Amino acid sequence: MIVEVEAYDGDDPAAHGFRGRTERNASMFGPPGHAYVYRSYGIHWCLNLVCAEAGAPEAALVRALEPTTGLDAMRARRGVDDARLLCSGPGRLCQALGITREQDGLPLDVPPFELRARPAAVEVVTGPRIGLTRAVERPWRYGLGGSRYLSRRFVR
DNA sequence: GTATTGATCTTCT
DNA sequence: GAAGATCAATACA
């Protein structure tokens, strides 16, 4: 269950697509409903849900999940036991799910991906995005209120 | 609890 | 040559 995301668009100096299309960020330019997976700090993979229409780069970075199924497989891939450390961070969740460049550009509505709507209304909290040096002030981080699986607490 | 550092890919200056 | 949508290990409070 997705509990934390951040938004990025083409007018955003902090976004990868801001300076145009490159080999790495190509899938961020659409079509929508696909995955954008990129290498972070040379070590980790990070997963975005592409929202781009009409060739403008837009995507939501998935920053944290609450693991609900496949806990043992996640533990095996991550090498940790604590459920709260399995997916609480963009690099962590990709390691837990086994996501790499192989999934870059794949549609999100067919296997191995599957997206479902939330079962009921939830409380969404917002705040500044994490780890940026540009456009720091934009409150484009969204989280599930009170979740214990966020990458970092939201200040209330 | 906070602070610092190393890992080392891709893009930008 | 430097910075970056990060994490884990280590040091210290």
Side-chain angles (χ1 to χ4, degrees):
Chain A
M1 177 169 66
I2 298 174
V3 297
E4 182 183 345
V5 296
E6 286 177 359
Y8 294 87
D9 75 11
D11 294 322
D12 181 359
H16 290 167
F18 181 66
R19 287 187 190 74
R21 188 174 186 133
T22 67
E23 186 176 349
R24 172 177 68 151
N25 67 23
S27 45
M28 191 178 180
F29 286 75
H34 288 233
Y36 164 43
V37 181
Y38 71 93
R39 182 78 92 170
S40 175
Y41 289 90
I43 332 245
H44 307 287
W45 297 102
C46 292
L47 171 66
N48 289 247
L49 311 182
V50 175
C51 311
E53 300 277 4
E58 294 173 3
L61 168 70
V62 182
R63 286 196 53 88
L65 307 176
E66 175 178 340
T68 54
T69 60
L71 276 285
D72 289 340
M74 293 188 190
R75 289 195 173 98
R77 282 192 280 251
R78 292 271 297 121
V80 298
D81 282 343
D82 189 343
R84 292 168 67 166
L85 296 180
L86 288 179
C87 298
S88 56
R92 287 170 175 171
L93 92 247
C94 281
Q95 187 183 11
L97 299 181
I99 291 176
T100 69
R101 182 141 220 142
E102 293 178 20
Q103 282 75 42
D104 184 41
L106 294 186
L108 296 168
D109 57 350
V110 301
F113 285 111
E114 176 181 348
L115 271 182
R116 296 188 210 168
R118 68 193 183 199
V122 295
E123 180 200 357
V124 175
V125 292
T126 65
R129 295 175 292 181
I130 292 182
L132 304 186
T133 58
R134 324 183 65 165
V136 183
E137 74 289 350
R138 301 193 188 190
W140 285 1
R141 178 175 179 236
Y142 302 90
L144 178 60
S147 172
R148 294 163 46 242
Y149 297 89
L150 301 171
S151 65
R152 276 172 54 175
R153 296 272 178 204
F154 284 80
V155 227
R156 64 214 257 136

